[in-house]
């Protein structure tokens, strides 16, 4: 994907790309740390239909929402030849039972046989997390296992 | 009542009224600058309530206001940004100078203010208010628009031109000979080049010299450095404001960001005093005679700025609506027009009428600019429809 980076002197940087439908989507990163999601108008590609200010948390969450499913889809496709194995994204709820605790604390593998292969956080993917990986609310665990195992894992993350 | 008590009361009243005016400006979505000028007109000689005991403080405070205005302007840009901005926008920048300086100069010559007056008025009508423009673009959610970089690089160009123009103006206002003027220009060109090179290569060291983790120490160091540099520049006939601007450019990175945060409230305070002092020194009675010319200049220079923006945006392949937006965004004039007029009036090299014309003009443009940026889209769309209905029957024939 061709991301266009345009300096905005005195303000910051605009990074955007054109979608297949001709709309521009991107981000304006202001020098003072503010981030705006921008979406161009349908009838005037020069102008923005929306420019939505995002906090760091909101931007990270949006990035997870967009990025994690893609990762899961990719892994699912790779596991297609292995019957009985699927991939799922499991959220860590803010102020849930594992917010602020380590991956090891979930004892996921022992209790369900499910492997956590990656953690998506703020749009970044942390692959192969170790048991001492500290989880925070908003993280998405990318987990591989049997369907029953994954269901059990989701329950553990929800109720502890 | 003793003098100090009276001064404190007057100063307090002025600040309080300015605060109320600023709030009003925020409510109706305008820049507070025209209201500050109006406030100054009310409190000054010939105004509603003349205040006379705060001259000593306000004189120095308004000088500091100009230094801080330019320092923060410099802090906004890195030297690299200035160079790329210059490379990208110099043709549009030149057109901008020709189209927008000419009306001011022409009116000054028509009114018989001579070449010095012409030079001052050229600057007044040329320079857009980067403060107002940047704020309006942010408010209207246009930072992500494609024409916005075009607008911003024209602003960068204008600010750099100011760094050249102000020292020349100071020299001319000082009444130096042609040779002396050329010398001043030479010195300022040299100083500006040296500072830009230093900023580009050794900006880190300048930043490190003023940086400090302690807020208080940092504030004192930045402010001290700014006033020192401004004073030295002023003594070298390069204009205090330009010295501060160049120091701002030399400071970069996180130091610049911290300095901006720290100095913003100070700038707002002292710059407000500067606008008030300018208003104070202008007799409201002198405005009506020049109001007609101010309106003429406002109309003409609105058209020329829109033309500049349109042309610059078209060169970057922006659509018609975006070109109109770029033009309208540039219309606002404000702080620097007043800085220029202020320099001229303080030097005593121009007539009082010029201050009155500049005040009236900035009052009009500071209101017209944000309004133009807001209404440009509906107007452009209406014009497009009109031309569409006009061509449609022609096609039918």
């Amino acid at each position: 994907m061709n991301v266009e980076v345009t300096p905005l002197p005195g303000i910051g940087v605009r990074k955007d790309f054109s979608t297949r439908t001709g709309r521009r989507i991107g981000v304006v990163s202001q020098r003072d740390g503010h981030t705006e999601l921008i979406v161009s108008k349908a009838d005037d590609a020069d102008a923005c239909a929306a420019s939505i200010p995002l906090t760091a948390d909101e931007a990270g969450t949006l990035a997870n929402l967009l990025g994690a499913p893609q990762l899961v889809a990719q892994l699912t496709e790779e596991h297609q030849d292995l019957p009985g194995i699927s991939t799922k994204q499991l959220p860590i709820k803010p102020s849930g039972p594992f917010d602020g605790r380590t991956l090891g604390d979930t004892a996921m593998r022992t209790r369900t046989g499910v492997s956590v292969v990656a953690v998506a956080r703020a749009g970044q993917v942390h692959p192969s997390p170790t048991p001492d990986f500290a989880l925070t609310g908003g993280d998405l665990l990318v987990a591989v296992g049997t369907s029953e195992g994954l269901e059990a894992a989701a329950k553990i993350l929800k109720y502890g | 009542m003793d003098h100090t008590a009276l001064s404190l009361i007057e100063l307090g009243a002025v600040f309080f009224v300015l605060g109320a005016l600023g709030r009003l400006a925020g409510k109706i979505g305008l820049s507070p600058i025209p209201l500050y000028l109006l406030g100054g007109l009310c409190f000054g000689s010939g105004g509603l309530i003349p205040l006379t005991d705060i001259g000593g403080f306000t004189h120095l405070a308004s000088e500091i206001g100009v230094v801080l205005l330019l320092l923060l302007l410099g802090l906004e840009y890195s030297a690299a940004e200035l160079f790329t901005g210059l490379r990208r926008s110099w043709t549009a920048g030149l057109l901008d100078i020709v189209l927008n300086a000419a009306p001011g100069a022409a009116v000054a010559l028509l009114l018989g203010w001579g070449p010095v007056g012409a030079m001052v008025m050229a600057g007044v009508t040329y320079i857009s208010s980067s403060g107002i423009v940047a704020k309006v673009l942010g408010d209207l959610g246009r930072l992500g628009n494609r024409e916005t970089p075009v607008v911003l690089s024209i602003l960068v160009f204008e600010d750099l031109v100011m760094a050249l123009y102000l020292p020349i103006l100071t020299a001319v206002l000082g009444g130096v000979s042609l040779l002396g003027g050329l010398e001043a220009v030479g010195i300022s060109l040299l100083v500006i080049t040296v500072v830009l090179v230093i900023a580009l290569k050794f900006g880190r060291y300048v930043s490190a010299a003023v940086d400090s983790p302690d807020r208080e120490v940092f504030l004192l160091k930045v402010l001290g450095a700014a006033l020192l540099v401004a004073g030295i520049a002023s003594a070298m006939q390069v204009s205090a404001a330009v010295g501060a601007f160049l120091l701002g450019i030399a400071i970069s990175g996180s130091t610049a960001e911290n300095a901006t945060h720290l100095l913003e409230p100070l700038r707002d305070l002292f710059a407000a005093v500067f606008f008030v002092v300018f208003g104070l020194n202008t007799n409201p009675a002198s405005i009506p005679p020049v109001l007609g010319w101010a309106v003429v200049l406002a109309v003409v220079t609105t058209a020329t700025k829109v033309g500049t923006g349109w042309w610059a945006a078209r060169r970057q392949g922006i659509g018609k609506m975006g070109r109109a937006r770029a033009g309208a965004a540039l219309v606002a004039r404000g702080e620097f027009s007043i800085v220029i007029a202020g320099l001229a009036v303080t030097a005593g090299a121009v007539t009082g009428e010029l201050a009155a014309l500049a005040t009236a003009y900035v009052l009009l443009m500071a209101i017209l600019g944000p309004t133009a940026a807001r209404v440009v889209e509906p107007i452009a769309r209406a014009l497009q429809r009109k031309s569409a209905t006009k061509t449609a029957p022609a096609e039918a024939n």
Side-chain angles (χ1 to χ4, degrees), chain B:
Chain B
M1 235 184 313
D2 67 11
H3 180 71
T4 312
L6 201 59
S7 301
L8 284 177
I9 290 172
E10 286 188 3
L11 204 57
V14 168
F15 283 149
F16 198 82
V17 170
L18 289 187
L21 287 174
R23 190 179 149 79
L24 181 70
K27 276 230 162 113
I28 50 180
L30 280 182
S31 151
I33 295 169
L35 294 182
Y36 292 163
L37 285 172
L38 281 178
L41 286 175
C42 290
F43 292 128
S45 53
L48 298 175
I49 327 157
L51 302 179
T52 46
D53 296 276
I54 50 176
F57 172 77
T58 52
H59 173 70
L60 191 59
S62 76
E63 291 286 319
I64 297 175
V66 175
V67 166
L68 286 178
L69 265 175
L70 270 291
L71 174 70
L72 268 87
L73 186 70
L75 285 173
E76 268 180 28
Y77 302 122
S78 66
E81 272 181 349
L82 285 179
F83 279 118
T84 29
L86 202 60
R87 253 209 321 274
R88 203 183 281 174
S89 64
W90 69 272
T91 41
L94 287 184
L95 181 78
D96 187 22
I97 296 180
V98 173
L99 282 185
N100 294 293
V107 166
L109 290 175
L110 271 174
L111 291 174
W113 293 343
V116 177
M119 188 176 167
V120 174
M121 281 309 295
V124 169
T125 57
Y126 161 60
I127 183 119
S128 300
S129 163
S130 38
I132 298 181
V133 174
K135 183 162 186 317
V136 166
L137 288 176
D139 286 351
L140 296 180
R142 292 194 187 152
L143 294 183
N145 283 17
R146 248 190 214 146
E147 79 277 1
T148 295
V150 177
V151 173
L152 293 176
S153 45
I154 290 181
L155 292 181
V156 173
F157 188 89
E158 288 186 355
D159 293 338
L160 262 181
V161 169
M162 276 298 105
L164 265 183
Y165 169 86
L166 285 179
I168 299 172
L169 183 71
T170 330
V172 170
L173 289 172
V176 294
S177 61
L178 184 65
L179 199 66
L182 283 178
E183 198 183 299
V185 173
I187 291 179
S188 57
L189 264 178
L190 192 72
V191 171
I192 289 166
T193 317
V194 168
V195 170
L196 283 180
V197 169
I198 290 178
L200 205 57
K201 299 248 177 210
F202 309 104
R204 287 178 290 138
Y205 301 108
V206 180
S207 305
V210 292
D211 205 359
S212 166
D214 186 282
R215 274 170 58 92
E216 191 179 330
V217 174
F218 185 45
L219 177 64
L220 290 172
K221 269 166 127 182
V222 171
L223 197 61
L227 294 181
L228 267 175
V229 170
I232 294 169
S234 178
M236 285 169 67
Q237 297 276 321
V238 184
S239 133
V242 172
F245 177 62
L246 293 175
L247 177 70
I249 290 169
I251 299 175
S252 56
S254 62
T255 312
E257 270 167 48
N258 295 337
T260 307
H261 282 299
L262 213 54
L263 291 174
E264 243 171 3
L266 267 186
R267 179 212 41 199
D268 293 343
L269 177 71
F270 285 105
V273 175
F274 166 72
F275 294 121
V276 170
V277 166
F278 190 81
L280 284 175
N281 293 331
T282 311
N283 190 338
S286 62
I287 286 185
V290 293
L291 197 58
W293 282 112
V295 172
V296 169
L297 273 183
V299 172
V300 172
T301 58
T302 298
T304 49
K305 273 287 176 192
V306 171
T308 308
W310 179 282
W311 189 80
R314 198 180 66 177
R315 276 172 54 89
Q316 303 288 330
I318 308 284
K320 280 195 177 135
M321 197 58 94
R323 293 176 210 166
R325 277 194 303 266
L330 286 166
V331 168
R333 317 292 207 282
E335 60 274 31
F336 292 109
S337 303
I338 297 295
V339 168
I340 293 166
L343 273 177
V345 172
T346 328
V350 291
T351 80
E353 276 181 311
L354 191 146
L357 179 58
T359 310
Y361 175 72
V362 169
L363 283 176
L364 289 173
M365 297 312 277
I367 295 167
L368 207 57
T371 316
R374 278 187 175 77
V375 300
V376 62
E377 287 199 318
I379 289 181
R381 216 165 283 133
L383 285 177
Q384 265 180 351
R385 261 202 302 277
K386 213 171 169 188
S387 66
T389 46
K390 246 187 212 160
T391 50
E395 277 164 25
N397 293 336

